[in-house]
Amino acid sequence: MATETIPPTLPQGAGYGVVVGIGFFFAFLMAGISYVQSCKVKQNAPRCHTFLEIIQKRYGTTAHIVFIFFALFCNILVASQLLLGGSAVVTALTGMNVYAAIFLIPLGVVVYVVLGGLRATFLFYTTNPLIGSPDRMYEILTEASKLRPVAGNQDGSYLTLKSNFGLIFGVIQLCSGMGTVFLDQGYWQRAIASRPTTAVRAYIMGGMAWFAIPFGFATTLGLAAVALTDNPSFPTYPNPMSTSQVSSGLAAPFGAVALLGNNGAIALLITLFMAVTSSSSSELIAVSSILTFDIYKMYINPSATPSQLIKTSHYMICFFGFVMAAFACIWNAIGIDLGWLFLTMGLLIGGGVFPAAFAVTWKKQSKWGAITGAVGGLACGLTAWLVTAHAYYGELTIATTGANYPTLAGNLAAVLMGCLITVTVSLVKPDNFDWEITRSINAAPQIIEAQSNDPLATSHNTSEKPSPSPTPSSHTPPPSHTFTPSPLPPPPSDDDAILTNPKLLNRSFKYACYSALILTLLMDFIIPIPMFLSHYIFSRGFFLGWIVIGFLWVAFALGVCGILPVWEGRGFLGGLWGRR
């Protein structure tokens, strides 16, 4: 959950709350996909370090190199978004030089990761006389819809799910979200490290808790930024926020400053720092794992010792900390912001989504199906993106390539064509892969050592006949034998049983599929689509109900992330306290 709270989620949730009103409701499929991914990786490759080890074991070196490119590209894009979003907010609130912020943020995170990390939770509740109540907020938003109507929204309203750009953004978010789920090693690490018996339940609760971030920020700070734009306390008064400022993720900090002044800026800086620290650490560890296990150990030093691997991973963390800062500086220097990267990420990595997903779920996917699907999807995505931008606007610039329809076309082409190509090529000459091959990744070898004092073992391991034992003489006492019983091995746990018999996870897999299907239908179709097609504008009572649901959802997230871990660890905490 913590590593999901990344700046592309946190300020973008508020930013798109400004652009499309309440229209940020179209993105829940990634959590459902994560449930299934976690279950299948536990079934088919429970001991792997990275998903690229599965690729290499199943498809060989060529496919391995192709997917290393996609994985590292994905991590660079996600890390760039972290630094662009975080540095923009820090610069806006403190005046720090943006390039200094870009390098200082990963410096602290690198030290944090190498030394072991920290955990923190911040609780914050407030009200403010500038808004006062949900009724007053409803009135201000209604007036704002008249003064600054939103293009594509029903009657220009901020209080509707009929948002054309909201729908486009939702589709793009699904494409880029699927790309990060299947190509970001950070997601695979959580699936690999989680316990098989609790992974699905944890992903379901974590996915639902995650939705409180964009939902809560869009409903609070996003709409507060809209409501207070004409207030003298707003940072850009008397002008509204520019498109660039919204795209850079500055709606949330501007709303916080307008509501609470310096205290709001401090609170948001702390929140953003914890989000960037947690998320960046996940990206650093993910890239370090790829560089250590899939490049160094695979191709440079196959006989590396554990101490060498640990040392290499620390070096790689420091190396990627510099690389992510360098890329963020490049993006910032050429005028690319958080919003542009957020919208284009899916078309750049979407081709590898289904080939990577099928690597652990479909035994008939072939090597060339995986390779051509990933590369072909990337080519189709780039082509659709650039052709659409030129057809609509007549030129290729940062502004035109970051617009709605070109990025939508590129995202859909990359993901769908990647799926179509890999399925078609695989069906032409299907594979019939044996999952036992990937289950053997990093499995401990079975070694049986013959005991020298075992006469049966000795007779099988020597070609000579054993000499008869000498008969003890009458004056020689017989040797005394002391029998020391060997300790009994601990009883196998449920997790150990699943590692040896993956079929025990079939029930969890079905539960994951049903949960993913139900939640996706509910959150992506059953609730938002009828409200979109009916062109409904919220009434005062409906808006109040929406606010109540938002607060309850945030309270649920607090329970899952802040209270439940303490309750589940009460036995350990009690024992720890008792030993003091």
Side-chain angles (χ1 to χ4, degrees), residues 76-113:
I76 288 172
L77 291 174
V78 173
S80 298
Q81 292 178 56
L82 292 173
L83 295 185
L84 285 176
S87 61
V89 173
V90 170
T91 298
L93 295 180
T94 67
M96 178 186 290
N97 181 276
V98 66
Y99 295 103
I102 287 174
F103 273 96
L104 286 176
I105 291 173
L107 175 63
V109 178
V110 166
V111 175
Y112 150 77
V113 173

Side-chain angles (χ1 to χ4, degrees), residues 147-189:
L147 296 176
R148 296 179 302 278
V150 183
N153 283 25
Q154 181 65 30
D155 297 338
S157 177
Y158 290 94
L159 299 165
T160 180
L161 285 188
K162 199 286 172 182
S163 170
N164 295 341
F165 181 59
L167 181 61
I168 293 172
F169 175 77
V171 174
I172 294 174
Q173 167 69 2
L174 293 180
C175 294
S176 61
M178 286 191 292
T180 53
V181 167
F182 284 113
L183 295 170
D184 186 344
Q185 171 59 23
Y187 282 83
W188 289 90
Q189 280 179 175

Side-chain angles (χ1 to χ4, degrees), residues 428-476:
V428 170
K429 191 176 181 180
D431 195 2
N432 189 22
F433 187 72
D434 182 5
W435 294 117
E436 290 299 327
I437 296 174
T438 52
R439 291 185 190 118
S440 68
I441 297 174
N442 298 320
Q446 301 295 322
I447 301 176
I448 302 176
E449 295 182 355
Q451 301 293 331
S452 60
N453 60 353
D454 184 349
L456 183 62
T458 305
S459 64
H460 281 80
N461 288 280
T462 179
S463 57
E464 299 179 359
K465 289 185 178 182
S467 59
S469 300
T471 303
S473 61
S474 59
H475 62 273
T476 303

